[in-house]
Amino acid sequence: MSFLFILKRVEENNATTMSRINQIIVELNRVGVECNKQQAETLWKYMESILLWNKSVNLTAIKDEDDFIIKHFVDSLTANNLPEMKTASHIIDVGTGGGFPGIPLSILNPDKQFVLLDSLAKRLKIIDEISSSLSIINATTVHGRSEDIGRNPMYRERFDLCVSRAVADLSVLSEYCLPFVSLGGSFVAYKGFYVEEELGRAAKSISVLGGTLNRIVDTETKQKLIIVTKTAHTPKEYPRRAGDAKRNPL
């Protein structure tokens, strides 16, 4: 599919465009997230591009635009007003998939630098093409498994903040994410409403990896943000080899 064709399709219907842009602004304002018209337009174009690409490459299971706005944009941006986000300069999104939450956060925070990590190169290539066309210049992608990239000195303990919506148990996700966080930085995991049992399983993992549970934030979208502060360096033996964390969680 031609990328120029996709971009042309995105810009075709002006009436629909304005309706969706206003919808994005209203939905974000409803949860306390400020979004100007230019930012909302960029979000809308990103959504349309992802949905068109999704017909040939699996980027998201969400195909309805109303659902997309809520489940990808609003959900992703529930972390936007966190103090940890406000003070962070360098943020990594682990397991970004179709660019969530990293791209929405980067659009609303042009003064911050974002790295989007994923193990599927095809997804990242599409994100790069869309981001370039929309002049999203503060988000770059890195291809690889978190277990490998987390051992790379270029990325290990280099980020003020790590965010992740990846579908993994928190005990496993902590091993994927905490090695990227610098001392005093934070890890924010987007989780469903019922997380108490998962938190119990993850307590040892968080502690071993140098983290301390800071707090749990309830959001307007009925998800919870698990905030972990990096209080000690991650031991050099973590993350373990690819697949070990999932097969044998700490």
Side-chain angles (χ1 to χ4, degrees):
M1 187 183 301
S2 164
F3 189 74
L4 290 176
F5 169 77
I6 289 176
L7 198 58
K8 183 179 179 182
R9 285 282 304 276
V10 166
E11 296 175 341
E12 276 178 355
N13 192 324
N14 287 335
T16 300
T17 299
M18 291 310 301
S19 175
R20 288 301 187 194
I21 289 171
N22 289 334
Q23 181 184 0
I24 289 169
I25 293 171
V26 168
E27 291 293 349
L28 290 176
N29 287 345
R30 182 177 59 83
V31 297
V33 175
E34 294 184 8
C35 176
N36 62 41
K37 184 178 177 181
Q38 182 178 355
Q39 292 168 335
E41 183 176 358
T42 303
L43 287 168
W44 172 78
K45 288 181 178 179
Y46 189 80
M47 174 181 72
E48 292 295 296
S49 298
I50 287 289
L51 289 176
L52 283 169
W53 271 111
N54 203 55
K55 294 177 180 179
S56 55
V57 179
N58 182 25
L59 298 169
T60 176
I62 300 170
K63 300 175 182 178
D64 177 80
E65 291 190 359
D66 292 326
D67 287 344
F68 194 108
I69 290 170
I70 298 299
K71 295 178 180 178
H72 280 324
F73 291 158
V74 178
D75 276 6
S76 291
L77 290 165
T78 53
N80 193 64
N81 293 340
L82 294 176
E84 291 82 1
M85 177 61 66
K86 297 297 184 184
T87 57
S89 297
H90 294 85
I91 300 116
I92 186 168
D93 173 11
V94 172
T96 192
F100 307 106
I103 290 296
L105 287 168
S106 70
I107 291 170
L108 265 65
N109 295 276
D111 58 325
K112 304 179 188 298
Q113 296 300 313
F114 291 80
V115 170
L116 279 58
L117 172 65
D118 202 85
S119 61
L120 294 180
K122 187 178 290 188
R123 288 177 181 168
L124 296 180
K125 183 178 180 181
I126 292 170
I127 292 171
D128 285 338
E129 289 193 22
I130 298 173
S131 296
S132 177
S133 74
L134 299 179
S135 299
I136 303 171
I137 61 174
N138 62 327
T140 58
T141 62
V142 173
H143 172 237
R145 296 186 66 115
S146 60
E147 300 100 320
D148 299 324
I149 305 301
R151 288 182 170 275
N152 186 326
M154 286 183 59
Y155 301 101
R156 185 178 179 87
E157 296 194 331
R158 296 290 184 178
F159 295 90
D160 308 308
L161 180 64
C162 175
V163 294
S164 183
R165 294 178 73 202
V167 181
D169 192 88
L170 187 59
S171 57
V172 177
L173 196 58
S174 296
E175 189 165 348
Y176 293 164
C177 294
L178 277 169
F180 291 106
V181 181
S182 61
L183 200 62
S186 300
F187 161 44
V188 177
Y190 292 66
K191 285 293 177 179
F193 196 75
Y194 300 102
V195 296
E196 288 75 12
E197 185 177 335
E198 191 172 339
L199 276 168
R201 292 194 301 271
K204 178 184 176 183
S205 174
I206 291 171
S207 177
V208 167
L209 295 161
T212 300
L213 179 63
N214 183 305
R215 66 193 187 282
I216 303 168
V217 176
D218 293 324
T219 74
E220 296 286 344
T221 59
K222 296 185 178 180
Q223 66 177 349
K224 291 180 185 286
L225 301 177
I226 312 303
I227 318 294
V228 176
T229 302
K230 189 73 172 283
T231 52
H233 291 292
T234 299
K236 62 181 181 180
E237 60 265 33
Y238 301 104
R240 292 168 288 172
R241 293 178 303 176
D244 285 357
K246 189 173 182 179
R247 286 190 297 266
N248 185 27
L250 289 172

